[in-house]
Amino acid sequence: MLLLVITIIMLVSLFLPFIKRRRSTYLLVGLTTSLFIFWIGILTYIAKKGGFDKNLLWILFGSNAVRLKLQYLSITLGKLGYTIALGRYLFPTFLVLLASEYSHFPLAEKIKKYWWSLFIIPFCTLIVYIPKLFEKIINALPLALEVIVKFSSFWILSYLVLTIYIVIKEAILITMPFFRRRFTSKMCLLLSLAFLYALYSPQDPAQVYLFYRNDYMWMLGLWYLQKGFNLPFYTFVVIASIITASFGLWAMLKYTQIGWDDRHEEISLDRAAKGAQTGINMFSHGIKNELLANRILYTKLEALIKEDKDKETLLNSLTQLEQKNEALLSRIERLYLSSKHTQVVLSPNSLQSVVKIACDKFYAKYPKGEIENLVDDDLIVLCDKEHLSEALYNVIANGYECSHSPVKLFVNTERLWTNIVVKDSGPGIPKKMQKKIYTPFVSSKNSALNWGMGLYYSRDVVKS
């Protein structure tokens, strides 16, 4: 049962790099793989040792066939002990690294910067636990056995405590609901795997090396299966193992689902955009040529009308028509640009300057519109000023067109993140439209000037 759950967790983690190629996904692969190696080593040792309660067979192995296969697996005690050592000493290292990768407060940032330092103690411990070297050390220095065992247990416990501290502090520091929801599945995954590991981490590889040879090590080995413990203790270990393993599997699947949904949405939108790109280019190019031809016609008509002083009304009408033509030409140009994969160049910019450009575009289209700007003047963001201002303008215009009331702009900051909030008093987005609002050419507005590319473009800019 537990073997099956841990195997599924590892296999799911191996699938993650194909969805998101990030440092965190590779660390997660290392974490689950080391746990799997540790667990396989322990189960092999349990199967070979025997003498455990038959009721635990299903919990530990899932079936008697698996137990028999591990029991008669051809492997020396040295190799089996070092297999346990690899999983036992690599897991807490990957655990701390992954917890710090998900966190952003100063201590976590330092750990990410000096990540290599976390491998020093585990690497030295693994060298000491090389079977032949370990045997030479304890034969030459009998007291070294107890020192090595207790020191390895001490630093493992220290790494586990550090992980719990990082995760809990990060959860407390996160104030925005969106980021808190995202962090919850990561926190549950780390804590559940850490607790499952902690239940069996007292199993020291030295006990495997010195099996039949040392009474002290015999007392340390397989502490959770020794006859001295009563039924309530066994019940606690079994129930805790099942709950944490199941919870870890749920958290892993939840984490994978979030990544898969994000990736699937991105691929679907990209396919929709690429499928329409050729038609967009041909359409916008043709309309642009027509509008440019109209511009020449306006110039000729204007010259003719100016010769007749009684045509002032026609001249005003012509001016209005020319303005509409230029506005439509500008929108065609933005439609054309939004359909192309343009380069985004990031640089430090004042957020207020980005907001000002977006507001200027908004007032040019809606002179009577109102924007309540509550953005701080001293905020600096890393962005492409031109693209971000255009994306922000699209969101502001959408909010105003839905409510025709003042739009409020304010910012929530969450350490590395800056969340620009555009708030309007509209009726909200219908549930049927919520999954379609970013799809190209999907719009709920019945207007010739709204072609459903604004929010797709805005999302593309923010994702970039």
Side-chain angles (χ1 to χ4, degrees):
M1 173 64 177
L2 290 177
L3 177 61
L4 177 62
V5 173
I6 293 174
T7 303
I8 294 175
I9 291 175
M10 184 193 68
L11 293 177
V12 172
S13 71
L14 293 176
F15 176 70
L16 282 175
F18 296 98
I19 301 176
K20 290 184 178 180
R21 294 184 179 182
R22 297 178 180 175
R23 183 182 175 184
S24 59
T25 56
Y26 293 110
L27 288 174
L28 185 58
V29 170
L31 180 75
T32 57
T33 303
S34 59
L35 180 63
F36 177 78
I37 292 172
F38 179 58
W39 191 249
I40 282 291
I42 286 180
L43 288 185
T44 303
Y45 184 60
I46 293 174
K48 289 182 176 295
K49 178 182 178 294
F52 53 87
D53 195 306
K54 292 183 180 180
N55 294 325
L56 294 177
L57 187 148
W58 183 82
I59 298 296
L60 296 173
F61 300 96
S63 69
N64 192 48
V66 174
R67 182 190 67 82
L68 290 174
K69 190 169 184 178
L70 293 176
Q71 182 179 358
Y72 294 105
L73 181 66
S74 179
I75 186 173
T76 63
L77 288 177
K79 291 181 180 180
L80 179 58
Y82 203 70
T83 299
I84 296 174
L86 284 172
R88 188 184 190 223
Y89 301 130
L90 288 179
F91 178 87
T93 310
F94 283 116
L95 189 67
V96 176
L97 287 174
L98 190 58
S100 61
E101 187 68 23
Y102 290 148
S103 306
H104 301 282
F105 60 92
L107 176 61
E109 294 297 330
K110 285 185 178 180
I111 292 175
K112 282 187 278 189
K113 184 177 181 180
Y114 302 104
W115 59 269
W116 51 268
S117 62
L118 288 176
F119 283 95
I120 295 176
I121 296 178
F123 181 72
C124 293
T125 306
L126 285 173
I127 292 177
V128 172
Y129 271 87
I130 295 175
K132 291 184 179 179
L133 179 60
F134 184 83
E135 186 173 358
K136 288 181 179 179
I137 293 174
I138 64 171
N139 287 336
L141 301 169
L143 293 177
L145 175 61
E146 186 175 354
V147 173
I148 293 173
V149 170
K150 289 186 176 180
F151 177 73
S152 62
S153 298
F154 170 76
W155 75 256
I156 286 174
L157 179 61
S158 300
Y159 275 38
L160 292 177
V161 172
L162 179 59
T163 299
I164 295 172
Y165 170 77
I166 292 173
V167 171
I168 293 178
K169 184 168 184 179
E170 178 69 12
I172 294 173
L173 291 175
I174 295 177
T175 57
M176 294 171 59
F178 172 79
F179 294 111
R180 183 175 291 167
R181 288 194 299 269
R182 289 277 176 147
F183 186 71
T184 299
S185 61
K186 301 173 184 177
M187 179 178 65
C188 293
L189 176 63
L190 291 175
L191 293 180
S192 59
L193 293 184
F195 188 77
L196 180 62
Y197 167 82
L199 285 174
Y200 301 90
S201 62
Q203 177 63 59
D204 195 285
Q207 197 275 334
V208 182
Y209 293 155
L210 305 177
F211 193 61
Y212 301 124
R213 294 174 54 186
N214 191 293
D215 293 337
Y216 172 73
M217 294 312 303
W218 173 258
M219 295 301 296
L220 290 178
L222 301 179
W223 60 276
Y224 40 86
L225 294 180
Q226 298 213 9
K227 296 180 180 180
F229 296 116
N230 53 23
L231 181 60
F233 180 82
Y234 279 122
T235 305
F236 167 75
V237 172
V238 171
I239 293 177
S241 299
I242 294 174
I243 291 176
T244 51
S246 302
F247 198 59
L249 178 59
W250 171 84
M252 173 64 76
L253 294 175
K254 185 70 175 178
Y255 178 77
T256 306
Q257 181 187 7
I258 293 174
W260 173 258
D261 290 344
D262 290 345
R263 180 63 176 162
H264 181 69
E265 181 185 19
E266 188 174 342
I267 292 174
S268 299
L269 292 176
D270 285 345
R271 286 177 178 174
K274 289 177 181 179
Q277 184 174 347
T278 303
I280 296 172
N281 294 343
M282 293 177 62
F283 169 76
S284 59
H285 184 71
I287 295 296
K288 184 177 180 180
N289 287 339
E290 292 293 333
L291 293 175
L292 290 173
N294 287 347
R295 183 185 289 174
I296 297 174
L297 181 60
Y298 295 149
T299 304
K300 291 181 179 180
L301 289 174
E302 184 179 10
L304 293 174
I305 292 173
K306 283 183 178 179
E307 295 177 359
D308 190 347
K309 296 181 180 180
D310 297 331
K311 300 295 183 179
E312 184 177 352
T313 303
L314 286 175
L315 184 60
N316 291 335
S317 299
L318 182 62
T319 302
Q320 295 177 6
L321 187 60
E322 183 179 10
Q323 291 174 350
K324 290 184 178 296
N325 188 87
E326 292 299 325
L328 189 57
L329 187 62
S330 175
R331 291 188 64 83
I332 286 290
E333 185 68 22
R334 287 203 296 270
L335 173 64
Y336 177 72
L337 291 176
S338 67
S339 69
K340 298 177 69 66
H341 293 280
T342 54
Q343 185 177 7
V344 175
V345 180
L346 300 179
S347 60
N349 291 282
S350 166
L351 183 57
Q352 191 62 256
S353 64
V354 175
V355 172
K356 185 178 183 304
I357 295 174
C359 291
D360 290 343
K361 292 180 179 180
F362 172 80
Y363 287 126
K365 183 178 181 181
Y366 300 104
K368 296 182 180 180
E370 294 182 33
I371 298 176
E372 186 180 354
N373 185 1
L374 301 178
V375 178
D376 294 337
D377 294 332
D378 57 348
L379 280 176
I380 303 296
V381 294
L382 189 64
C383 67
D384 187 304
K385 192 173 183 178
E386 180 182 353
H387 285 289
L388 183 58
S389 61
E390 180 67 23
L392 183 58
Y393 158 72
N394 283 323
V395 178
I396 294 173
N398 270 273
Y400 179 76
E401 289 167 359
C402 291
S403 62
H404 292 285
S405 59
V407 177
K408 182 184 291 186
L409 287 181
F410 59 93
V411 170
N412 291 326
T413 56
E414 189 74 53
R415 288 164 299 184
L416 296 180
W417 305 300
T418 300
N419 183 27
I420 307 172
V421 181
V422 181
K423 187 175 182 180
D424 60 72
S425 57
I429 303 173
K431 289 186 178 180
K432 293 182 179 180
M433 286 293 297
Q434 288 179 5
K435 293 184 178 181
K436 301 179 181 179
I437 58 175
Y438 297 116
T439 305
F441 299 111
V442 172
S443 176
S444 60
K445 303 164 192 170
N446 187 16
S447 172
L449 296 179
N450 292 287
W451 297 327
M453 286 295 291
L455 289 181
Y456 166 76
Y457 170 75
S458 299
R459 178 189 180 278
D460 196 41
V461 169
V462 173
K463 293 284 285 186
S464 300

